[in-house]
Amino acid sequence: MKKPGNILIVDDNRGVLTAVQLLLKPHFEKIITLTSPVTLTSALREETPSVVLLDMNFASGINTGNEGLFWLQEIKRLHPSLPVVLFTAYGDIDLAVRGIKEGATDFIVKPWDNQKLVETLLNAALPADNRKNGQNAPPMTSSMYWGESSPMQQLRSLVEKVSVTDANILITGENGTGKEMLAREIHLLSPRRNKEMIAVDMGAITESLFESELFGHMKGSFTDAYADRPGKFETANHSTLFLDEIGNLPYHLQAKLLTVLQRRSIVRVGSNQPIPVNIRLICATNRNLSEMVQNNEFREDLLYRINTIHLEIPPLRERPEDILPLAERFIARFCKQYDKALLRLSDAACTKLKAHPWYGNIRELEHAIEKAVIICDGNELPAELFQLPKRAELSRSENNISTEAATLEEMERKMIQKALDTCNGNLSAVAAQLGITRQTLYNKMKKFGL
């Protein structure tokens, strides 16, 4: 197999240079090493490397990592298309993330994994069109809005530190706070970002298909199993697996998930052959898992396994300074989607939006903005377009279900909400009370945004 070309490595640690040089010798035609970036520009004039491996810190009295960013900018100024992979210690992760935003192709954390280092550099050395971005991988762009509030900035700082590790993460927060979006942001900042994140809605998987969906099955293992099929764990190998609504996983199935996480291997339905899997696990829930453990509804050992790092997304009402910027982002998106000129919020509308408690959080705000954009006839969104009921009004209407409800759907939503409140969110109890299956209940909850 033809080697991809030359690589230029810049690191002031001669031991690191020697180790990396020996590791990469079978994979590159020529390896150029520099112990100082001072001669970097002249080296780039003399050689034409396929990729540069650039350390973030050098022995020049500057140990903040900013020196690495400076030389990254110099490389991109002289050779805009030259791939640069940053070589960084754990403490420089924030700077490495900045480096990605400023044009670096990827980064490697010291101490490094040999296979990961080789794969990353070989991938970066390929022409841009041929780089392995993973099958159906999303573009490398972030849709996460962090805002300016102190709680979100603290969360952002923590996210940027833990994203580059393989630690299991549990994301908690109320409905509509953006837990899946945060999971995708973590994946985007991780070394696994070149493969697509696999998301699984645990509440939407029927109990009978749980093992098949997550672990896969063999041909003939059950009716309609016409071919071998990998499960979500296999599909997410060397990537991130996001298990949403983990709190809705029935207790008797939690042991099967725990076994896979402990063994780091799966066995397909109908097979006895274990298959190793290398995944980064992110889970999310709007439920209190510690309380569920006390009530014997969630396994304590599973909670410990998925909760290495806990990230709590604050509700929108606790960061009111983010309401209007988020609203403006949604206005821009929906105006484009519905082919309208860009609308603006009236002063009265701004006041109304800021005063609303947004118990449905970002999702409620998004739906309110979309509705207002659709029905607006002018070039401004007036306050009257936003019909925002208070929670007290919702409670009264839900406790007094009557024929005044405008549609059967509204009555159904109110009945489900009342049952959820009565049963303290226990979906099995709610389904039994309403006389429907758990799966039907979950589908209706998703439909009504409950």
Side-chain angles (χ1 to χ4, degrees):
M1 180 177 176
K2 189 179 185 300
K3 297 179 181 179
N6 302 345
I7 180 171
L8 173 61
I9 308 171
V10 190
D11 196 303
D12 64 297
N13 188 319
R14 294 184 183 276
V16 169
L17 284 179
T18 300
V20 175
Q21 190 171 11
L22 289 172
L23 178 64
L24 298 179
K25 188 174 181 180
H27 304 283
F28 287 87
E29 289 183 2
K30 184 177 182 181
I31 300 174
I32 308 112
T33 61
L34 298 176
T35 56
S36 171
V38 173
T39 57
L40 177 58
T41 53
S42 59
L44 289 175
R45 284 195 296 267
E46 296 171 5
E47 304 285 350
T48 54
S50 302
V51 61
V52 175
L53 178 60
L54 177 67
D55 192 23
M56 294 293 290
N57 281 311
F58 299 94
S60 60
I62 304 175
N63 297 311
T64 63
N66 287 320
E67 193 178 10
L69 292 178
F70 168 79
W71 288 109
L72 168 65
Q73 293 166 359
E74 285 296 293
I75 295 171
K76 303 308 285 187
R77 181 178 64 83
L78 297 171
H79 304 278
S81 61
L82 178 59
V84 179
V85 175
L86 301 178
F87 216 9
T88 177
Y90 182 80
D92 298 327
I93 288 170
D94 290 353
L95 286 163
V97 172
R98 279 182 53 193
I100 295 292
K101 296 176 181 177
E102 294 182 16
T105 303
D106 212 327
F107 64 89
I108 294 292
V109 179
K110 300 176 183 177
W112 65 89
D113 175 84
N114 285 346
Q115 181 179 354
K116 178 64 178 177
L117 177 65
V118 171
E119 289 178 353
T120 300
L121 291 173
L122 289 176
N123 184 48
L126 292 172
D129 292 342
N130 296 334
R131 288 184 193 146
K132 300 175 184 176
N133 294 319
Q135 186 176 7
N136 300 321
M140 289 289 294
T141 56
S142 171
S143 58
M144 186 77 185
Y145 176 73
W146 291 104
E148 300 300 327
S149 65
S150 177
M152 288 301 291
Q153 289 305 309
Q154 292 174 14
L155 178 63
R156 181 177 190 174
S157 177
L158 181 56
V159 164
E160 291 182 348
K161 289 177 182 177
V162 303
S163 292
V164 297
T165 73
D166 272 339
N168 292 340
I169 292 177
L170 175 64
I171 303 173
T172 58
E174 296 179 3
N175 280 333
T177 49
K179 294 184 287 295
E180 181 171 349
M181 182 172 287
L182 179 58
R184 294 192 180 279
E185 181 73 5
I186 293 169
H187 176 70
L188 185 65
L189 295 175
S190 78
R192 298 172 181 262
R193 62 186 170 276
N194 287 333
K195 288 196 68 177
E196 181 183 9
M197 183 185 88
I198 304 300
V200 183
D201 190 334
M202 299 301 285
I205 297 179
T206 60
E207 295 184 19
S208 60
L209 293 178
F210 171 82
E211 289 185 82
S212 175
E213 285 294 316
L214 264 65
F215 312 142
H217 62 252
M218 304 299 291
K219 179 180 178 180
S221 56
F222 56 85
T223 305
D224 296 330
Y226 299 119
D228 295 351
R229 180 176 178 270
K232 301 299 185 183
F233 271 84
E234 279 187 81
T235 306
N237 197 29
H238 297 294
S239 185
T240 301
L241 179 63
F242 175 57
L243 302 183
D244 197 9
E245 305 294 353
I246 189 71
N248 291 334
L249 181 63
Y251 192 88
H252 66 281
L253 296 178
Q254 294 171 21
K256 296 182 178 181
L257 176 59
L258 178 64
T259 299
V260 169
L261 297 179
Q262 290 173 332
R263 296 178 179 175
R264 290 288 173 175
S265 66
I266 58 96
V267 177
R268 290 184 180 181
V269 176
S271 171
N272 294 318
Q273 182 66 39
I275 301 173
V277 288
N278 178 352
I279 58 127
R280 200 276 180 80
L281 182 68
I282 302 178
C283 298
T285 183
N286 64 345
R287 304 183 69 181
N288 187 328
L289 296 187
S290 297
E291 186 176 286
M292 291 179 67
V293 168
Q294 297 299 319
N295 296 332
N296 294 319
E297 296 173 337
F298 201 86
R299 292 181 64 105
E300 187 173 23
D301 45 5
L302 179 58
L303 177 58
Y304 289 145
R305 179 66 64 172
I306 67 176
N307 192 24
T308 306
I309 302 293
H310 178 204
L311 302 176
E312 174 79 21
I313 305 181
L316 190 55
R317 61 185 173 275
E318 292 182 7
R319 45 189 180 109
E321 58 266 61
D322 293 338
I323 293 174
L324 293 185
L326 278 167
E328 290 169 355
R329 287 167 63 93
F330 292 141
I331 290 170
R333 186 214 300 173
F334 291 124
C335 284
K336 181 178 180 181
Q337 179 177 332
Y338 296 112
D339 197 25
K340 288 192 171 189
L342 185 62
L343 301 170
R344 61 178 295 271
L345 290 165
S346 69
D347 292 341
C350 290
T351 301
K352 189 171 187 176
L353 293 182
K354 287 192 292 185
H356 187 65
W358 300 109
Y359 292 109
N361 293 293
I362 297 174
R363 186 183 296 134
E364 182 188 358
L365 174 63
E366 181 181 14
H367 290 170
I369 295 294
E370 181 177 15
K371 179 180 178 181
V373 168
I374 291 173
I375 64 179
C376 181
D377 293 324
N379 57 6
E380 186 177 73
L381 296 169
E384 305 82 65
L385 289 183
F386 298 97
Q387 302 299 319
L388 307 173
K390 302 295 183 183
R391 171 156 283 195
E393 296 172 5
L394 290 173
S395 298
R396 284 196 299 271
S397 64
E398 287 162 2
N399 290 329
N400 296 284
I401 298 172
S402 67
T403 55
E404 294 180 3
T407 65
L408 286 174
E409 280 194 354
E410 288 181 22
M411 293 180 67
E412 188 175 35
R413 182 190 67 80
K414 292 173 182 177
M415 289 181 68
I416 293 173
Q417 182 64 69
K418 184 177 181 181
L420 285 167
D421 292 340
T422 302
C423 300
N424 295 318
N426 186 320
L427 299 191
S428 297
V430 172
Q433 179 176 315
L434 296 175
I436 58 178
T437 66
R438 182 187 170 99
Q439 181 65 44
T440 300
L441 169 64
Y442 188 78
N443 291 339
K444 291 183 180 296
M445 287 173 63
K446 296 285 279 189
K447 173 183 178 182
F448 297 130
L450 298 175

